[in-house]
Amino acid sequence: MDTIVESELELRLVLSSERSIPVPARLTYRSDDPFAMQVTFHVGSESPVRWSFARDLMVGGTFRPSGQGDVRIWPTCTDDRNLICMALSSPDGDALLQAPAEAVSAWLERTLRAVPPGSEMDLVGLESELCALLTTPPEELHLQDRSPADEAGEAGS
């Protein structure tokens, strides 16, 4: 049976050094995808904004700066409050969010109890998936690995 660990919390979207706005969010961890976690932001649009990244990145980011590129996470202290900062970059823009460290740490502890570090591969079922793939007749795989040369040949036919 799959385990789901969720936590609703309010993050702060940092607009400037003096101004931030609240952003309701949900942290989600699923044992059927044991290496990943999701942060879903409810930003007032029709559909929420969802980011997925490695659970290890969030764990590391609670202790020290972690990540590079699109997702960077680090701990900080502001006005005697312990926070976790998340810098997210996408083609649509960049965002800096702050989360209460205590809430994030409590949620992470629950995920680590549900699926201890190092046991993730036990849940992936790679061996059974590979076995199923190797025993499936090719005509049932529906693979569409076509090269541009194949398509050009068909266009001229």
Side-chain angles (χ1 to χ4, degrees), residues 3-9 25-42 49-55 58 104 107-108 110-111 114:
T3 300
I4 299 173
V5 180
E6 292 186 316
S7 180
E8 299 280 338
L9 63 145
R26 177 185 305 123
L27 301 176
T28 304
Y29 177 78
R30 301 176 58 98
S31 63
D32 64 348
D33 190 5
F35 291 103
M37 60 158 289
Q38 292 184 341
V39 181
T40 305
F41 304 101
H42 305 282
V49 176
R50 184 170 292 122
W51 280 73
S52 295
F53 49 88
R55 175 177 70 165
M58 182 65 90
V104 171
W107 174 79
L108 278 171
R110 290 175 38 219
T111 74

PDB file of all heavy atoms in Angstrom, residues 3-9 25-42 49-55 58 104 107-108 110-111 114:
ATOM      1  N   THR A   3       2.072   5.003   0.679  1.00  0.00           N
ATOM      2  CA  THR A   3       1.955   5.957   1.773  1.00  0.00           C
ATOM      3  C   THR A   3       2.064   7.359   1.200  1.00  0.00           C
ATOM      4  O   THR A   3       2.929   7.623   0.364  1.00  0.00           O
ATOM      5  CB  THR A   3       3.087   5.744   2.797  1.00  0.00           C
ATOM      6  OG1 THR A   3       2.986   4.413   3.306  1.00  0.00           O
ATOM      7  CG2 THR A   3       3.011   6.731   3.927  1.00  0.00           C
ATOM      8  N   ILE A   4       1.194   8.260   1.638  1.00  0.00           N
ATOM      9  CA  ILE A   4       1.247   9.661   1.231  1.00  0.00           C
ATOM     10  C   ILE A   4       1.414  10.498   2.486  1.00  0.00           C
ATOM     11  O   ILE A   4       0.654  10.344   3.448  1.00  0.00           O
ATOM     12  CB  ILE A   4      -0.029  10.077   0.482  1.00  0.00           C
ATOM     13  CG1 ILE A   4      -0.196   9.233  -0.788  1.00  0.00           C
ATOM     14  CG2 ILE A   4       0.008  11.562   0.141  1.00  0.00           C
ATOM     15  CD1 ILE A   4      -1.506   9.450  -1.507  1.00  0.00           C
ATOM     16  N   VAL A   5       2.420  11.366   2.480  1.00  0.00           N
ATOM     17  CA  VAL A   5       2.671  12.263   3.600  1.00  0.00           C
ATOM     18  C   VAL A   5       2.490  13.689   3.078  1.00  0.00           C
ATOM     19  O   VAL A   5       3.207  14.112   2.174  1.00  0.00           O
ATOM     20  CB  VAL A   5       4.097  12.079   4.174  1.00  0.00           C
ATOM     21  CG1 VAL A   5       4.321  13.020   5.345  1.00  0.00           C
ATOM     22  CG2 VAL A   5       4.325  10.627   4.576  1.00  0.00           C
ATOM     23  N   GLU A   6       1.505  14.396   3.627  1.00  0.00           N
ATOM     24  CA  GLU A   6       1.220  15.761   3.168  1.00  0.00           C
ATOM     25  C   GLU A   6       1.218  16.732   4.332  1.00  0.00           C
ATOM     26  O   GLU A   6       0.983  16.350   5.473  1.00  0.00           O
ATOM     27  CB  GLU A   6      -0.142  15.824   2.475  1.00  0.00           C
ATOM     28  CG  GLU A   6      -0.185  15.093   1.168  1.00  0.00           C
ATOM     29  CD  GLU A   6      -1.502  15.303   0.433  1.00  0.00           C
ATOM     30  OE1 GLU A   6      -2.568  15.245   1.066  1.00  0.00           O
ATOM     31  OE2 GLU A   6      -1.432  15.534  -0.773  1.00  0.00           O
ATOM     32  N   SER A   7       1.474  17.976   3.990  1.00  0.00           N
ATOM     33  CA  SER A   7       1.402  19.038   4.979  1.00  0.00           C
ATOM     34  C   SER A   7       0.996  20.328   4.280  1.00  0.00           C
ATOM     35  O   SER A   7       1.594  20.708   3.269  1.00  0.00           O
ATOM     36  CB  SER A   7       2.754  19.226   5.673  1.00  0.00           C
ATOM     37  OG  SER A   7       2.677  20.249   6.631  1.00  0.00           O
ATOM     38  N   GLU A   8      -0.033  20.961   4.805  1.00  0.00           N
ATOM     39  CA  GLU A   8      -0.448  22.273   4.307  1.00  0.00           C
ATOM     40  C   GLU A   8       0.280  23.324   5.135  1.00  0.00           C
ATOM     41  O   GLU A   8       0.350  23.211   6.362  1.00  0.00           O
ATOM     42  CB  GLU A   8      -1.961  22.453   4.474  1.00  0.00           C
ATOM     43  CG  GLU A   8      -2.805  21.463   3.727  1.00  0.00           C
ATOM     44  CD  GLU A   8      -2.979  21.794   2.254  1.00  0.00           C
ATOM     45  OE1 GLU A   8      -2.813  22.977   1.871  1.00  0.00           O
ATOM     46  OE2 GLU A   8      -3.266  20.865   1.488  1.00  0.00           O
ATOM     47  N   LEU A   9       0.841  24.315   4.469  1.00  0.00           N
ATOM     48  CA  LEU A   9       1.489  25.393   5.196  1.00  0.00           C
ATOM     49  C   LEU A   9       1.468  26.660   4.376  1.00  0.00           C
ATOM     50  O   LEU A   9       1.163  26.641   3.184  1.00  0.00           O
ATOM     51  CB  LEU A   9       2.927  25.027   5.579  1.00  0.00           C
ATOM     52  CG  LEU A   9       3.917  24.784   4.465  1.00  0.00           C
ATOM     53  CD1 LEU A   9       5.287  25.289   4.898  1.00  0.00           C
ATOM     54  CD2 LEU A   9       4.009  23.298   4.197  1.00  0.00           C
ATOM     55  N   ALA A  25       0.466  26.563   0.435  1.00  0.00           N
ATOM     56  CA  ALA A  25       1.178  25.494  -0.273  1.00  0.00           C
ATOM     57  C   ALA A  25       0.919  24.153   0.403  1.00  0.00           C
ATOM     58  O   ALA A  25       0.498  24.090   1.555  1.00  0.00           O
ATOM     59  CB  ALA A  25       2.664  25.784  -0.303  1.00  0.00           C
ATOM     60  N   ARG A  26       1.202  23.098  -0.358  1.00  0.00           N
ATOM     61  CA  ARG A  26       1.100  21.743   0.177  1.00  0.00           C
ATOM     62  C   ARG A  26       2.387  21.010  -0.179  1.00  0.00           C
ATOM     63  O   ARG A  26       2.803  20.983  -1.331  1.00  0.00           O
ATOM     64  CB  ARG A  26      -0.085  20.997  -0.433  1.00  0.00           C
ATOM     65  CG  ARG A  26      -0.159  19.544   0.062  1.00  0.00           C
ATOM     66  CD  ARG A  26      -1.246  18.709  -0.597  1.00  0.00           C
ATOM     67  NE  ARG A  26      -2.542  19.337  -0.466  1.00  0.00           N
ATOM     68  CZ  ARG A  26      -3.318  19.654  -1.500  1.00  0.00           C
ATOM     69  NH1 ARG A  26      -2.940  19.390  -2.722  1.00  0.00           N
ATOM     70  NH2 ARG A  26      -4.478  20.217  -1.303  1.00  0.00           N
ATOM     71  N   LEU A  27       3.001  20.403   0.820  1.00  0.00           N
ATOM     72  CA  LEU A  27       4.143  19.513   0.614  1.00  0.00           C
ATOM     73  C   LEU A  27       3.586  18.100   0.510  1.00  0.00           C
ATOM     74  O   LEU A  27       2.770  17.695   1.340  1.00  0.00           O
ATOM     75  CB  LEU A  27       5.118  19.588   1.782  1.00  0.00           C
ATOM     76  CG  LEU A  27       5.722  20.959   2.100  1.00  0.00           C
ATOM     77  CD1 LEU A  27       6.593  20.864   3.350  1.00  0.00           C
ATOM     78  CD2 LEU A  27       6.514  21.484   0.932  1.00  0.00           C
ATOM     79  N   THR A  28       4.020  17.351  -0.508  1.00  0.00           N
ATOM     80  CA  THR A  28       3.523  15.990  -0.706  1.00  0.00           C
ATOM     81  C   THR A  28       4.686  15.053  -0.979  1.00  0.00           C
ATOM     82  O   THR A  28       5.572  15.358  -1.773  1.00  0.00           O
ATOM     83  CB  THR A  28       2.541  15.916  -1.897  1.00  0.00           C
ATOM     84  OG1 THR A  28       1.488  16.844  -1.684  1.00  0.00           O
ATOM     85  CG2 THR A  28       1.972  14.523  -2.058  1.00  0.00           C
ATOM     86  N   TYR A  29       4.636  13.910  -0.297  1.00  0.00           N
ATOM     87  CA  TYR A  29       5.599  12.831  -0.530  1.00  0.00           C
ATOM     88  C   TYR A  29       4.800  11.555  -0.693  1.00  0.00           C
ATOM     89  O   TYR A  29       3.902  11.278   0.089  1.00  0.00           O
ATOM     90  CB  TYR A  29       6.571  12.693   0.652  1.00  0.00           C
ATOM     91  CG  TYR A  29       7.533  11.550   0.470  1.00  0.00           C
ATOM     92  CD1 TYR A  29       8.637  11.676  -0.359  1.00  0.00           C
ATOM     93  CD2 TYR A  29       7.314  10.335   1.096  1.00  0.00           C
ATOM     94  CE1 TYR A  29       9.517  10.614  -0.545  1.00  0.00           C
ATOM     95  CE2 TYR A  29       8.184   9.270   0.921  1.00  0.00           C
ATOM     96  CZ  TYR A  29       9.278   9.417   0.100  1.00  0.00           C
ATOM     97  OH  TYR A  29      10.147   8.372  -0.089  1.00  0.00           O
ATOM     98  N   ARG A  30       5.134  10.788  -1.738  1.00  0.00           N
ATOM     99  CA  ARG A  30       4.423   9.538  -2.017  1.00  0.00           C
ATOM    100  C   ARG A  30       5.437   8.406  -2.072  1.00  0.00           C
ATOM    101  O   ARG A  30       6.439   8.500  -2.778  1.00  0.00           O
ATOM    102  CB  ARG A  30       3.694   9.631  -3.350  1.00  0.00           C
ATOM    103  CG  ARG A  30       2.668  10.762  -3.412  1.00  0.00           C
ATOM    104  CD  ARG A  30       2.065  10.844  -4.805  1.00  0.00           C
ATOM    105  NE  ARG A  30       1.437   9.591  -5.157  1.00  0.00           N
ATOM    106  CZ  ARG A  30       0.143   9.331  -5.048  1.00  0.00           C
ATOM    107  NH1 ARG A  30      -0.674  10.268  -4.615  1.00  0.00           N
ATOM    108  NH2 ARG A  30      -0.351   8.157  -5.381  1.00  0.00           N
ATOM    109  N   SER A  31       5.132   7.320  -1.381  1.00  0.00           N
ATOM    110  CA  SER A  31       6.052   6.184  -1.370  1.00  0.00           C
ATOM    111  C   SER A  31       6.138   5.498  -2.728  1.00  0.00           C
ATOM    112  O   SER A  31       7.092   4.781  -2.994  1.00  0.00           O
ATOM    113  CB  SER A  31       5.657   5.171  -0.289  1.00  0.00           C
ATOM    114  OG  SER A  31       4.385   4.623  -0.566  1.00  0.00           O
ATOM    115  N   ASP A  32       5.164   5.727  -3.623  1.00  0.00           N
ATOM    116  CA  ASP A  32       5.250   5.127  -4.950  1.00  0.00           C
ATOM    117  C   ASP A  32       6.209   5.891  -5.869  1.00  0.00           C
ATOM    118  O   ASP A  32       6.503   5.454  -6.977  1.00  0.00           O
ATOM    119  CB  ASP A  32       3.868   4.965  -5.594  1.00  0.00           C
ATOM    120  CG  ASP A  32       3.174   6.282  -5.866  1.00  0.00           C
ATOM    121  OD1 ASP A  32       3.623   7.334  -5.363  1.00  0.00           O
ATOM    122  OD2 ASP A  32       2.153   6.264  -6.576  1.00  0.00           O
ATOM    123  N   ASP A  33       6.709   7.041  -5.412  1.00  0.00           N
ATOM    124  CA  ASP A  33       7.740   7.811  -6.102  1.00  0.00           C
ATOM    125  C   ASP A  33       8.736   8.246  -5.018  1.00  0.00           C
ATOM    126  O   ASP A  33       8.817   9.421  -4.665  1.00  0.00           O
ATOM    127  CB  ASP A  33       7.119   9.014  -6.807  1.00  0.00           C
ATOM    128  CG  ASP A  33       8.082   9.731  -7.733  1.00  0.00           C
ATOM    129  OD1 ASP A  33       9.218   9.244  -7.922  1.00  0.00           O
ATOM    130  OD2 ASP A  33       7.703  10.784  -8.272  1.00  0.00           O
ATOM    131  N   PRO A  34       9.468   7.285  -4.451  1.00  0.00           N
ATOM    132  CA  PRO A  34      10.171   7.501  -3.192  1.00  0.00           C
ATOM    133  C   PRO A  34      11.346   8.478  -3.211  1.00  0.00           C
ATOM    134  O   PRO A  34      11.771   8.931  -2.160  1.00  0.00           O
ATOM    135  CB  PRO A  34      10.655   6.100  -2.808  1.00  0.00           C
ATOM    136  CG  PRO A  34      10.792   5.390  -4.103  1.00  0.00           C
ATOM    137  CD  PRO A  34       9.682   5.929  -4.962  1.00  0.00           C
ATOM    138  N   PHE A  35      11.859   8.820  -4.375  1.00  0.00           N
ATOM    139  CA  PHE A  35      12.989   9.753  -4.421  1.00  0.00           C
ATOM    140  C   PHE A  35      12.533  11.201  -4.541  1.00  0.00           C
ATOM    141  O   PHE A  35      13.327  12.113  -4.342  1.00  0.00           O
ATOM    142  CB  PHE A  35      13.914   9.419  -5.606  1.00  0.00           C
ATOM    143  CG  PHE A  35      14.655   8.129  -5.428  1.00  0.00           C
ATOM    144  CD1 PHE A  35      14.248   6.988  -6.098  1.00  0.00           C
ATOM    145  CD2 PHE A  35      15.753   8.054  -4.589  1.00  0.00           C
ATOM    146  CE1 PHE A  35      14.933   5.785  -5.938  1.00  0.00           C
ATOM    147  CE2 PHE A  35      16.432   6.858  -4.417  1.00  0.00           C
ATOM    148  CZ  PHE A  35      16.025   5.727  -5.096  1.00  0.00           C
ATOM    149  N   ALA A  36      11.269  11.425  -4.872  1.00  0.00           N
ATOM    150  CA  ALA A  36      10.778  12.769  -5.182  1.00  0.00           C
ATOM    151  C   ALA A  36       9.828  13.304  -4.122  1.00  0.00           C
ATOM    152  O   ALA A  36       9.292  12.565  -3.307  1.00  0.00           O
ATOM    153  CB  ALA A  36      10.061  12.748  -6.533  1.00  0.00           C
ATOM    154  N   MET A  37       9.646  14.600  -4.168  1.00  0.00           N
ATOM    155  CA  MET A  37       8.642  15.281  -3.367  1.00  0.00           C
ATOM    156  C   MET A  37       8.040  16.369  -4.238  1.00  0.00           C
ATOM    157  O   MET A  37       8.598  16.706  -5.275  1.00  0.00           O
ATOM    158  CB  MET A  37       9.250  15.882  -2.108  1.00  0.00           C
ATOM    159  CG  MET A  37      10.338  16.911  -2.378  1.00  0.00           C
ATOM    160  SD  MET A  37      10.626  18.046  -1.021  1.00  0.00           S
ATOM    161  CE  MET A  37       9.171  19.048  -1.066  1.00  0.00           C
ATOM    162  N   GLN A  38       6.899  16.875  -3.824  1.00  0.00           N
ATOM    163  CA  GLN A  38       6.251  17.950  -4.560  1.00  0.00           C
ATOM    164  C   GLN A  38       5.878  19.076  -3.631  1.00  0.00           C
ATOM    165  O   GLN A  38       5.509  18.848  -2.474  1.00  0.00           O
ATOM    166  CB  GLN A  38       4.974  17.469  -5.250  1.00  0.00           C
ATOM    167  CG  GLN A  38       5.207  16.502  -6.366  1.00  0.00           C
ATOM    168  CD  GLN A  38       3.908  16.152  -7.071  1.00  0.00           C
ATOM    169  OE1 GLN A  38       2.809  16.340  -6.553  1.00  0.00           O
ATOM    170  NE2 GLN A  38       4.037  15.632  -8.283  1.00  0.00           N
ATOM    171  N   VAL A  39       5.962  20.288  -4.180  1.00  0.00           N
ATOM    172  CA  VAL A  39       5.415  21.465  -3.518  1.00  0.00           C
ATOM    173  C   VAL A  39       4.368  22.014  -4.471  1.00  0.00           C
ATOM    174  O   VAL A  39       4.662  22.284  -5.639  1.00  0.00           O
ATOM    175  CB  VAL A  39       6.489  22.539  -3.245  1.00  0.00           C
ATOM    176  CG1 VAL A  39       5.880  23.733  -2.529  1.00  0.00           C
ATOM    177  CG2 VAL A  39       7.650  21.981  -2.453  1.00  0.00           C
ATOM    178  N   THR A  40       3.143  22.118  -3.992  1.00  0.00           N
ATOM    179  CA  THR A  40       2.051  22.653  -4.796  1.00  0.00           C
ATOM    180  C   THR A  40       1.679  24.009  -4.227  1.00  0.00           C
ATOM    181  O   THR A  40       1.355  24.124  -3.042  1.00  0.00           O
ATOM    182  CB  THR A  40       0.833  21.704  -4.778  1.00  0.00           C
ATOM    183  OG1 THR A  40       1.263  20.412  -5.201  1.00  0.00           O
ATOM    184  CG2 THR A  40      -0.267  22.204  -5.683  1.00  0.00           C
ATOM    185  N   PHE A  41       1.743  25.027  -5.077  1.00  0.00           N
ATOM    186  CA  PHE A  41       1.429  26.396  -4.674  1.00  0.00           C
ATOM    187  C   PHE A  41       0.035  26.750  -5.167  1.00  0.00           C
ATOM    188  O   PHE A  41      -0.288  26.546  -6.334  1.00  0.00           O
ATOM    189  CB  PHE A  41       2.438  27.383  -5.275  1.00  0.00           C
ATOM    190  CG  PHE A  41       3.860  27.064  -4.933  1.00  0.00           C
ATOM    191  CD1 PHE A  41       4.680  26.432  -5.858  1.00  0.00           C
ATOM    192  CD2 PHE A  41       4.377  27.384  -3.689  1.00  0.00           C
ATOM    193  CE1 PHE A  41       5.993  26.134  -5.552  1.00  0.00           C
ATOM    194  CE2 PHE A  41       5.690  27.081  -3.377  1.00  0.00           C
ATOM    195  CZ  PHE A  41       6.498  26.459  -4.305  1.00  0.00           C
ATOM    196  N   HIS A  42      -0.769  27.265  -4.276  1.00  0.00           N
ATOM    197  CA  HIS A  42      -2.116  27.715  -4.622  1.00  0.00           C
ATOM    198  C   HIS A  42      -2.041  29.232  -4.751  1.00  0.00           C
ATOM    199  O   HIS A  42      -2.094  29.953  -3.758  1.00  0.00           O
ATOM    200  CB  HIS A  42      -3.119  27.282  -3.554  1.00  0.00           C
ATOM    201  CG  HIS A  42      -3.086  25.804  -3.319  1.00  0.00           C
ATOM    202  ND1 HIS A  42      -3.692  24.903  -4.167  1.00  0.00           N
ATOM    203  CD2 HIS A  42      -2.478  25.059  -2.372  1.00  0.00           C
ATOM    204  CE1 HIS A  42      -3.478  23.677  -3.742  1.00  0.00           C
ATOM    205  NE2 HIS A  42      -2.741  23.741  -2.646  1.00  0.00           N
ATOM    206  N   VAL A  49       0.231  25.591  -9.083  1.00  0.00           N
ATOM    207  CA  VAL A  49       1.574  25.445  -9.639  1.00  0.00           C
ATOM    208  C   VAL A  49       2.274  24.360  -8.836  1.00  0.00           C
ATOM    209  O   VAL A  49       2.318  24.411  -7.609  1.00  0.00           O
ATOM    210  CB  VAL A  49       2.357  26.774  -9.544  1.00  0.00           C
ATOM    211  CG1 VAL A  49       3.780  26.597 -10.020  1.00  0.00           C
ATOM    212  CG2 VAL A  49       1.638  27.864 -10.322  1.00  0.00           C
ATOM    213  N   ARG A  50       2.827  23.355  -9.538  1.00  0.00           N
ATOM    214  CA  ARG A  50       3.435  22.211  -8.857  1.00  0.00           C
ATOM    215  C   ARG A  50       4.899  22.089  -9.274  1.00  0.00           C
ATOM    216  O   ARG A  50       5.219  22.106 -10.450  1.00  0.00           O
ATOM    217  CB  ARG A  50       2.667  20.944  -9.212  1.00  0.00           C
ATOM    218  CG  ARG A  50       3.153  19.717  -8.495  1.00  0.00           C
ATOM    219  CD  ARG A  50       2.212  18.537  -8.704  1.00  0.00           C
ATOM    220  NE  ARG A  50       0.945  18.803  -8.017  1.00  0.00           N
ATOM    221  CZ  ARG A  50      -0.236  18.822  -8.608  1.00  0.00           C
ATOM    222  NH1 ARG A  50      -0.360  18.582  -9.869  1.00  0.00           N
ATOM    223  NH2 ARG A  50      -1.332  19.066  -7.911  1.00  0.00           N
ATOM    224  N   TRP A  51       5.761  21.968  -8.281  1.00  0.00           N
ATOM    225  CA  TRP A  51       7.178  21.718  -8.505  1.00  0.00           C
ATOM    226  C   TRP A  51       7.531  20.374  -7.888  1.00  0.00           C
ATOM    227  O   TRP A  51       7.135  20.093  -6.756  1.00  0.00           O
ATOM    228  CB  TRP A  51       8.031  22.807  -7.843  1.00  0.00           C
ATOM    229  CG  TRP A  51       8.109  24.059  -8.643  1.00  0.00           C
ATOM    230  CD1 TRP A  51       7.125  24.983  -8.817  1.00  0.00           C
ATOM    231  CD2 TRP A  51       9.229  24.516  -9.383  1.00  0.00           C
ATOM    232  NE1 TRP A  51       7.571  25.993  -9.619  1.00  0.00           N
ATOM    233  CE2 TRP A  51       8.871  25.736  -9.977  1.00  0.00           C
ATOM    234  CE3 TRP A  51      10.517  24.017  -9.590  1.00  0.00           C
ATOM    235  CZ2 TRP A  51       9.742  26.458 -10.774  1.00  0.00           C
ATOM    236  CZ3 TRP A  51      11.383  24.747 -10.381  1.00  0.00           C
ATOM    237  CH2 TRP A  51      10.995  25.953 -10.972  1.00  0.00           C
ATOM    238  N   SER A  52       8.278  19.574  -8.617  1.00  0.00           N
ATOM    239  CA  SER A  52       8.771  18.295  -8.114  1.00  0.00           C
ATOM    240  C   SER A  52      10.288  18.327  -8.115  1.00  0.00           C
ATOM    241  O   SER A  52      10.894  18.821  -9.074  1.00  0.00           O
ATOM    242  CB  SER A  52       8.306  17.139  -9.010  1.00  0.00           C
ATOM    243  OG  SER A  52       6.915  17.017  -8.963  1.00  0.00           O
ATOM    244  N   PHE A  53      10.869  17.818  -7.048  1.00  0.00           N
ATOM    245  CA  PHE A  53      12.315  17.693  -6.979  1.00  0.00           C
ATOM    246  C   PHE A  53      12.676  16.647  -5.949  1.00  0.00           C
ATOM    247  O   PHE A  53      11.815  16.094  -5.265  1.00  0.00           O
ATOM    248  CB  PHE A  53      13.011  19.036  -6.711  1.00  0.00           C
ATOM    249  CG  PHE A  53      12.440  19.845  -5.577  1.00  0.00           C
ATOM    250  CD1 PHE A  53      12.880  19.669  -4.284  1.00  0.00           C
ATOM    251  CD2 PHE A  53      11.459  20.800  -5.826  1.00  0.00           C
ATOM    252  CE1 PHE A  53      12.361  20.416  -3.253  1.00  0.00           C
ATOM    253  CE2 PHE A  53      10.941  21.558  -4.792  1.00  0.00           C
ATOM    254  CZ  PHE A  53      11.394  21.368  -3.508  1.00  0.00           C
ATOM    255  N   ALA A  54      13.955  16.334  -5.849  1.00  0.00           N
ATOM    256  CA  ALA A  54      14.420  15.252  -4.989  1.00  0.00           C
ATOM    257  C   ALA A  54      14.174  15.561  -3.507  1.00  0.00           C
ATOM    258  O   ALA A  54      14.454  16.664  -3.043  1.00  0.00           O
ATOM    259  CB  ALA A  54      15.905  14.991  -5.217  1.00  0.00           C
ATOM    260  N   ARG A  55      13.681  14.558  -2.801  1.00  0.00           N
ATOM    261  CA  ARG A  55      13.511  14.707  -1.353  1.00  0.00           C
ATOM    262  C   ARG A  55      14.850  15.004  -0.697  1.00  0.00           C
ATOM    263  O   ARG A  55      14.920  15.830   0.224  1.00  0.00           O
ATOM    264  CB  ARG A  55      12.886  13.445  -0.759  1.00  0.00           C
ATOM    265  CG  ARG A  55      12.791  13.485   0.775  1.00  0.00           C
ATOM    266  CD  ARG A  55      12.121  12.284   1.363  1.00  0.00           C
ATOM    267  NE  ARG A  55      12.923  11.080   1.249  1.00  0.00           N
ATOM    268  CZ  ARG A  55      12.679   9.976   1.934  1.00  0.00           C
ATOM    269  NH1 ARG A  55      11.663   9.903   2.770  1.00  0.00           N
ATOM    270  NH2 ARG A  55      13.443   8.908   1.778  1.00  0.00           N
ATOM    271  N   MET A  58      15.666  18.667  -0.431  1.00  0.00           N
ATOM    272  CA  MET A  58      15.004  19.373   0.670  1.00  0.00           C
ATOM    273  C   MET A  58      15.644  19.013   2.006  1.00  0.00           C
ATOM    274  O   MET A  58      15.858  19.882   2.849  1.00  0.00           O
ATOM    275  CB  MET A  58      13.510  19.060   0.695  1.00  0.00           C
ATOM    276  CG  MET A  58      12.753  19.800   1.790  1.00  0.00           C
ATOM    277  SD  MET A  58      12.727  21.594   1.594  1.00  0.00           S
ATOM    278  CE  MET A  58      11.246  21.781   0.622  1.00  0.00           C
ATOM    279  N   VAL A 104       8.559  22.434   7.992  1.00  0.00           N
ATOM    280  CA  VAL A 104       9.206  21.647   6.943  1.00  0.00           C
ATOM    281  C   VAL A 104       9.945  20.463   7.562  1.00  0.00           C
ATOM    282  O   VAL A 104       9.847  19.334   7.083  1.00  0.00           O
ATOM    283  CB  VAL A 104      10.161  22.517   6.100  1.00  0.00           C
ATOM    284  CG1 VAL A 104      10.992  21.661   5.146  1.00  0.00           C
ATOM    285  CG2 VAL A 104       9.377  23.577   5.332  1.00  0.00           C
ATOM    286  N   TRP A 107       7.534  17.736   8.686  1.00  0.00           N
ATOM    287  CA  TRP A 107       7.035  16.988   7.535  1.00  0.00           C
ATOM    288  C   TRP A 107       8.107  16.046   6.994  1.00  0.00           C
ATOM    289  O   TRP A 107       7.830  14.880   6.715  1.00  0.00           O
ATOM    290  CB  TRP A 107       6.562  17.960   6.450  1.00  0.00           C
ATOM    291  CG  TRP A 107       6.164  17.288   5.190  1.00  0.00           C
ATOM    292  CD1 TRP A 107       4.986  16.642   4.938  1.00  0.00           C
ATOM    293  CD2 TRP A 107       6.953  17.157   4.011  1.00  0.00           C
ATOM    294  NE1 TRP A 107       5.004  16.123   3.665  1.00  0.00           N
ATOM    295  CE2 TRP A 107       6.197  16.440   3.078  1.00  0.00           C
ATOM    296  CE3 TRP A 107       8.223  17.596   3.647  1.00  0.00           C
ATOM    297  CZ2 TRP A 107       6.672  16.141   1.802  1.00  0.00           C
ATOM    298  CZ3 TRP A 107       8.700  17.303   2.383  1.00  0.00           C
ATOM    299  CH2 TRP A 107       7.924  16.583   1.480  1.00  0.00           C
ATOM    300  N   LEU A 108       9.341  16.537   6.871  1.00  0.00           N
ATOM    301  CA  LEU A 108      10.432  15.697   6.388  1.00  0.00           C
ATOM    302  C   LEU A 108      10.653  14.490   7.301  1.00  0.00           C
ATOM    303  O   LEU A 108      10.885  13.380   6.818  1.00  0.00           O
ATOM    304  CB  LEU A 108      11.730  16.500   6.266  1.00  0.00           C
ATOM    305  CG  LEU A 108      11.873  17.326   5.000  1.00  0.00           C
ATOM    306  CD1 LEU A 108      13.089  18.246   5.103  1.00  0.00           C
ATOM    307  CD2 LEU A 108      11.954  16.442   3.768  1.00  0.00           C
ATOM    308  N   ARG A 110       8.470  12.930   9.018  1.00  0.00           N
ATOM    309  CA  ARG A 110       7.397  11.963   8.720  1.00  0.00           C
ATOM    310  C   ARG A 110       7.707  11.190   7.443  1.00  0.00           C
ATOM    311  O   ARG A 110       7.465   9.991   7.362  1.00  0.00           O
ATOM    312  CB  ARG A 110       6.050  12.678   8.625  1.00  0.00           C
ATOM    313  CG  ARG A 110       5.562  13.176   9.977  1.00  0.00           C
ATOM    314  CD  ARG A 110       4.279  14.003   9.923  1.00  0.00           C
ATOM    315  NE  ARG A 110       3.293  13.549   8.968  1.00  0.00           N
ATOM    316  CZ  ARG A 110       2.548  14.375   8.230  1.00  0.00           C
ATOM    317  NH1 ARG A 110       2.668  15.678   8.343  1.00  0.00           N
ATOM    318  NH2 ARG A 110       1.663  13.889   7.385  1.00  0.00           N
ATOM    319  N   THR A 111       8.250  11.880   6.416  1.00  0.00           N
ATOM    320  CA  THR A 111       8.585  11.173   5.170  1.00  0.00           C
ATOM    321  C   THR A 111       9.724  10.193   5.393  1.00  0.00           C
ATOM    322  O   THR A 111       9.732   9.104   4.820  1.00  0.00           O
ATOM    323  CB  THR A 111       8.969  12.135   4.024  1.00  0.00           C
ATOM    324  OG1 THR A 111      10.266  12.685   4.226  1.00  0.00           O
ATOM    325  CG2 THR A 111       7.945  13.242   3.846  1.00  0.00           C
ATOM    326  N   ALA A 114       8.404   7.146   7.009  1.00  0.00           N
ATOM    327  CA  ALA A 114       7.618   6.356   6.057  1.00  0.00           C
ATOM    328  C   ALA A 114       8.528   5.568   5.111  1.00  0.00           C
ATOM    329  O   ALA A 114       8.278   4.394   4.839  1.00  0.00           O
ATOM    330  CB  ALA A 114       6.685   7.263   5.253  1.00  0.00           C
TER     331      ALA A 114
END
